[in-house]
Amino acid sequence: MTFKDSIGDLFGYDPVSGPQIVDLVNLNKDEDILSAFNDTDNIFNSNEITNTVSVSYAPTNSITSTKVSSNNQITAEKQFNVQGEVSTSAYIFVLLEFIKMVVVDCTELEDHDQKLREIGEDVGFKLLELVKFKSTVPAILPTAVLNEKLLTYKHTSNIKNSSSVDISQTPKAVDIYKHIFLTSSLSSKNIQTSNTSLKDLKKLSILEFIHGPIWRYMFGKKADDIQQLKNNSLEYIIIDNDPLLSSLVLTSQINEFICGIIKSCVVNSGFECFEVTAHVMEKDDPDWPNKTVYVIKFVK
Amino acid sequence: MVKVYSFWIFDKHCNCIYGFEYDSIKQKVHKVETDNHDMIAKSKILYGLVFSLTSLTTRYYYSNKITNESDDSLFPQKSNFRKITTGLYTVHTFKTETGLIFALLADLESGDSMDIELQYIYRQIYMNNVGLNPLAPLDYAETETEAKGKGFRQIKNDNFDKELYNFLEPLL
Amino acid sequence: MVSSVPDTSISTTGSSSSAAIKNSPNYSNVVFLKQLGEQVFQQNMKKINAEFLTITYGSLVKVLIDHYKDDVEKCNQKLKEMGKNIGSRLIDDFYSKVTTQIPRCNNLKDLGNTLSLVAFKLYLNCVPKFLFDEEEKIIKLRFDNDINIFSKFVELPDEYKNKRLYYSNIIAGIIEGALSGIALKSDVIYFSDTLLGDPFSEIHIANVKRIKDEVPMGQ
């Protein structure tokens, strides 16, 4: 067993003859490199979108595992930990506990509802940004088309027939952005991409945005209706027949929180909003005992 | 038709935290309250019955135990009895993993078990109104001296009362 | 007449195979728990967007830090205390969701597997890696990568990093509270956190002891 055999093929480097200049052309002909480059099992070549990648290293005490060109030295374990959803009870537990903290511990406050509304506004501000970003992802390419396109960036051609790397196939900046957009919108599969422009100049369009994408992002469904109160052109209502965050206790406090979210969405879109209030319509419809109406009052 | 005489909840500190009895002659409900000594005495007697029978049955079960790898000091085998029948009435009990005991006194027609009713009371009525309510006290024995059956606090929750009566009213 | 039935429904499924293969995880039990967690999460739980929870939790922690005027030590304590409150309610909810399908725990390993495969799966839809320290009898739950949803989107300022604010300390409290609900006393600590620059997030559950059932006076 020679010295060279024992340490293996080091990327074309021959330890006996010493360093030498390797042409790019020669490198392209190296089957090990090309096969590593085209190996679909290699996580770095993967065109599948993974949120998290767990890489566990093989033991390095054996000589073969230190071989650079070996494909198996990194056993990459793909984990699809796309956590789209958690249980509602977990959310309610956390929310109720913090509401209790605000009500019981913040004794120096006079208006606890005001504090809860402020927390809601904080959440609403972030939600608006997030949902707007996700819903304005250009809906040009469906996933399948994009994946196909990304595949062409790699060298899918047969190694034996052509062994040169075509640099012109590297992705353009635009395509990379699309890829990033797609990755970021993956966790929000609830949101349908819409053509809502970044400037929502009409009152109704921002209300529709809340009623549609934001509601679907938060609760996984649309709100049930938007109406304009007849006697007042500045008052609109959003109706939810069966609110997801309905709890038998502390309903008014939870509603204050949601009102804060709505108000913040309206205000941060550039409208002056006087107040948002919530009313539970218990006796309105026997089918929906928890039917809740959110009244949004604009300032002229 | 099943007829229910009374309903009780005991917590892990051996205290009765809820209970009522229906007086069919006066058409009146007696609740366990701090100043209602009669009901408190009844609750203690019922708990004594449940407790001593549980320890008896558990001891019997232990003697028959097959040893395996399990760590019995941490996770003891439990054996809770489900009902006691006398010539006049039946006591149905349901012990939760968290140490609560739900007991229902009913007449003999209640049959083999009223598990479904007791579980419904636990899962739906108790959980939604008391168990998950962040403002309800976590522990009905606030200090050490109120443990071991000397506590006096009860569940005070109007929604719970209402739903429980709605559920049990046809059976009273 | 006393009818006495043991509470255990599925207690023998794992024990026979574990006698044959010693010192190896009880695979039949682990696989069963995995399936149980998945099934109950899909069927019995209502679901809500995970990022919504993340954002809400972030705002609430911010309020807490404001309230305690940057006193990190108090924040950690308060988070844990709130977790305990949640945990002691959550354990009831947990048992009412999984009903009687859950097998009885025989030892600490079973407890760890149940925690990671069923409890975390049900509520946070993530499965931390369960490691068991045989000598010290410590249950370790490790969150690889970013599967702890509470810490998504979060970057702690240096000030809090130095004072070691355990951002997700509420989880430690929840576990402690939930275990105390089923009469198990334990010390749960948030051992390390990736947000503080540690290589991984880990929760340690140590000193698990049984609280004896109370006996009424005079017995």
Side-chain angles (χ1 to χ4, degrees):
Chain A
M1 194 174 169
T2 63
F3 177 58
K4 190 186 171 187
D5 285 341
S6 70
I7 60 160
D9 187 8
L10 283 177
F11 229 90
Y13 173 67
D14 188 354
V16 180
S17 60
Q20 57 180 215
I21 298 163
V22 180
D23 290 342
L24 191 65
V25 183
N26 286 336
L27 206 59
N28 289 346
K29 281 175 187 162
D30 192 329
E31 285 204 7
D32 273 345
I33 294 172
L34 278 177
S35 64
F37 199 69
N38 289 319
D39 186 10
T40 45
D41 284 337
N42 192 336
I43 193 73
F44 300 110
N45 291 349
S46 167
N47 59 319
E48 281 165 299
I49 301 146
T50 52
N51 262 14
T52 55
V53 175
S54 127
V55 180
S56 56
Y57 291 93
T60 49
N61 48 9
S62 66
I63 293 171
T64 48
S65 67
T66 55
K67 212 172 147 185
V68 176
S69 58
S70 165
N71 292 332
N72 297 328
Q73 65 165 279
I74 296 171
T75 52
E77 198 188 320
K78 287 180 221 167
Q79 282 186 356
F80 292 90
N81 280 316
V82 185
Q83 290 164 337
E85 287 169 329
V86 292
S87 105
T88 309
S89 10
Y91 188 89
I92 288 184
F93 272 125
V94 172
L95 185 64
L96 286 185
E97 193 59 38
F98 273 94
I99 289 177
K100 184 192 162 195
M101 190 217 61
V102 169
V103 173
V104 176
D105 286 10
C106 298
T107 42
E108 76 276 6
L109 289 176
E110 287 179 4
D111 192 354
H112 299 301
D113 290 351
Q114 175 64 27
K115 184 77 186 167
L116 289 171
R117 236 172 285 142
E118 278 171 21
I119 299 174
E121 282 170 23
D122 193 33
V123 173
F125 174 66
K126 289 170 193 160
L127 272 182
L128 183 71
E129 293 286 322
L130 199 63
V131 176
K132 225 164 208 177
F133 166 68
K134 283 181 174 175
S135 63
T136 46
V137 171
I140 305 163
L141 293 172
T143 322
V145 178
L146 192 73
N147 275 348
E148 208 172 89
K149 195 146 191 244
L150 286 169
L151 268 180
T152 60
Y153 302 144
K154 305 230 177 61
H155 311 283
T156 45
S157 52
N158 200 340
I159 309 161
K160 280 164 191 165
N161 292 342
S162 72
S163 56
S164 63
V165 177
D166 186 358
I167 296 169
S168 69
Q169 282 189 350
T170 46
K172 287 172 197 155
V174 180
D175 294 323
I176 293 176
Y177 278 124
K178 272 176 200 159
H179 177 77
I180 294 168
F181 276 132
L182 194 82
T183 322
S184 62
S185 64
L186 185 78
S187 58
S188 61
K189 53 183 181 290
N190 289 331
I191 299 173
Q192 287 170 358
T193 48
S194 65
N195 295 326
T196 325
S197 70
L198 285 169
K199 289 177 185 171
D200 294 306
L201 292 173
K202 285 180 189 166
K203 281 171 198 157
L204 203 59
S205 61
I206 179 61
L207 288 180
E208 269 170 3
F209 187 72
I210 293 170
H211 161 268
I214 288 189
W215 222 258
R216 208 183 291 116
Y217 181 79
M218 291 196 294
F219 307 129
K221 59 165 191 183
K222 269 180 157 181
D224 289 289
D225 205 1
I226 304 179
Q227 284 174 11
Q228 184 172 13
L229 289 184
K230 274 175 194 165
N231 51 2
N232 194 338
S233 63
L234 291 173
E235 287 185 9
Y236 291 83
I237 55 175
I238 292 179
I239 300 170
D240 193 343
N241 282 340
D242 189 13
L244 190 64
L245 288 184
S246 67
S247 156
L248 286 168
V249 288
L250 297 172
T251 316
S252 66
Q253 277 89 343
I254 292 177
N255 279 335
E256 289 293 341
F257 174 74
I258 295 175
C259 286
I261 293 177
I262 297 175
K263 187 180 176 186
S264 164
C265 289
V266 173
V267 168
N268 287 310
S269 305
F271 293 97
E272 280 187 51
C273 174
F274 178 63
E275 66 172 354
V276 180
T277 49
H279 306 278
V280 182
M281 314 290 275
E282 282 172 10
K283 287 162 192 167
D284 197 41
D285 195 340
D287 291 345
W288 308 106
N290 288 328
K291 185 175 175 180
T292 309
V293 172
Y294 303 94
V295 183
I296 298 143
K297 284 181 195 160
F298 287 98
V299 178
K300 216 168 200 178
Chain B
M1 188 67 197
V2 186
K3 203 163 153 43
V4 169
Y5 300 125
S6 59
F7 172 76
W8 313 81
I9 303 175
F10 302 98
D11 72 352
K12 60 184 173 188
H13 300 291
C14 321
N15 295 325
C16 177
I17 53 170
Y18 191 83
F20 70 82
E21 191 180 46
Y22 183 67
D23 193 335
S24 54
I25 300 159
K26 290 182 190 166
Q27 304 258 322
K28 210 179 152 192
V29 169
H30 299 292
K31 271 185 75 178
V32 172
E33 272 155 353
T34 319
D35 50 354
N36 194 342
H37 299 289
D38 194 26
M39 286 297 284
I40 288 176
K42 274 186 185 171
S43 79
K44 291 215 157 120
I45 291 168
L46 183 64
Y47 187 80
L49 179 72
V50 172
F51 175 82
S52 48
L53 278 175
T54 308
S55 60
L56 203 80
T57 49
T58 309
R59 207 164 294 166
Y60 179 72
Y61 183 70
Y62 262 2
S63 62
N64 287 340
K65 194 172 75 72
I66 306 156
T67 52
N68 54 12
E69 278 191 340
S70 64
D71 191 346
D72 272 332
S73 62
L74 275 181
F75 306 101
Q77 302 260 2
K78 274 187 230 153
S79 166
N80 303 319
F81 72 90
R82 301 267 166 88
K83 66 165 188 170
I84 319 163
T85 309
T86 71
L88 287 173
Y89 59 89
T90 311
V91 184
H92 297 270
T93 64
F94 169 65
K95 191 171 182 186
T96 70
E97 304 286 337
T98 47
L100 291 168
I101 299 173
F102 290 74
L104 200 64
L105 251 79
D107 66 357
L108 292 176
E109 282 186 38
S110 56
D112 275 348
S113 109
M114 293 194 61
D115 244 19
I116 299 169
E117 286 84 350
L118 283 170
Q119 300 229 1
Y120 181 83
I121 292 173
Y122 170 54
R123 302 230 149 92
Q124 293 292 322
I125 304 177
Y126 175 82
M127 285 307 291
N128 287 343
N129 290 295
V130 184
L132 299 181
N133 185 349
L135 295 179
L138 276 180
D139 205 333
Y140 284 89
E142 284 182 358
T143 56
E144 288 265 320
T145 52
E146 288 172 27
K148 296 188 180 177
K150 289 194 288 182
F152 51 84
R153 285 167 218 278
Q154 273 91 35
I155 296 173
K156 289 199 177 66
N157 189 324
D158 291 344
N159 276 341
F160 179 65
D161 283 352
K162 214 167 75 183
E163 279 198 36
L164 192 62
Y165 288 143
N166 282 344
F167 178 65
L168 286 179
E169 205 174 14
L171 304 177
L172 288 175
Chain C
M1 273 186 290
V2 178
S3 75
S4 156
V5 186
D7 272 353
T8 54
S9 50
I10 310 153
S11 55
T12 51
T13 43
S15 55
S16 58
S17 62
S18 72
I21 319 157
K22 276 201 171 174
N23 297 330
S24 68
N26 193 343
Y27 284 109
S28 60
N29 204 357
V30 169
V31 169
F32 175 77
L33 287 175
K34 221 174 211 169
Q35 286 170 349
L36 178 73
E38 191 67 47
Q39 192 195 342
V40 176
F41 179 70
Q42 297 299 344
Q43 288 179 0
N44 290 7
M45 303 306 254
K46 277 189 191 170
K47 302 183 193 60
I48 200 167
N49 194 314
E51 286 172 1
F52 185 35
L53 173 65
T54 313
I55 296 172
T56 313
Y57 184 71
S59 293
L60 296 173
V61 173
K62 223 168 81 184
V63 173
L64 195 68
I65 292 174
D66 276 354
H67 179 66
Y68 283 110
K69 300 187 177 62
D70 291 351
D71 189 338
V72 168
E73 198 49 46
K74 271 188 186 163
C75 284
N76 282 342
Q77 271 175 19
K78 181 69 189 172
L79 277 175
K80 190 156 183 185
E81 194 189 305
M82 292 165 86
K84 278 186 195 169
N85 286 345
I86 294 177
S88 47
R89 294 178 204 289
L90 185 134
I91 187 71
D92 266 326
D93 190 49
F94 176 77
Y95 274 111
S96 66
K97 290 273 158 55
V98 296
T99 60
T100 49
Q101 306 147 9
I102 195 153
R104 192 181 145 267
C105 286
N106 282 322
N107 45 39
L108 285 177
K109 271 187 188 169
D110 284 0
L111 180 69
N113 275 324
T114 314
L115 271 177
S116 77
L117 292 172
V118 188
F120 272 92
K121 176 74 196 173
L122 282 195
Y123 288 96
L124 296 181
N125 191 14
C126 67
V127 179
K129 206 184 261 174
F130 160 58
L131 308 163
F132 187 64
D133 189 334
E134 288 280 355
E135 288 173 12
E136 308 265 334
K137 303 266 181 216
I138 294 176
I139 296 174
K140 297 176 180 176
L141 297 173
R142 182 180 292 184
F143 294 90
D144 276 331
N145 304 314
D146 296 325
I147 64 167
N148 179 4
I149 54 153
F150 282 130
S151 31
K152 202 180 171 189
F153 302 139
V154 180
E155 172 109 31
L156 289 179
D158 284 345
E159 187 193 346
Y160 301 133
K161 259 188 199 171
N162 296 335
K163 293 182 190 164
R164 291 194 82 79
L165 171 75
Y166 289 111
Y167 183 80
S168 329
N169 206 16
I170 199 163
I171 299 179
I174 290 174
I175 295 175
E176 197 170 320
L179 288 183
S180 76
I182 49 171
L184 288 174
K185 192 168 158 282
S186 57
D187 295 333
V188 185
I189 49 163
Y190 213 95
F191 186 73
S192 59
D193 195 344
T194 37
L195 291 179
L196 301 174
D198 298 325
F200 40 73
S201 308
E202 214 169 73
I203 293 176
H204 283 192
I205 306 169
N207 299 333
V208 185
K209 289 205 179 79
R210 182 107 201 147
I211 306 169
K212 277 199 175 168
D213 289 349
E214 274 183 38
V215 179
M217 292 296 283
Q219 289 279 341

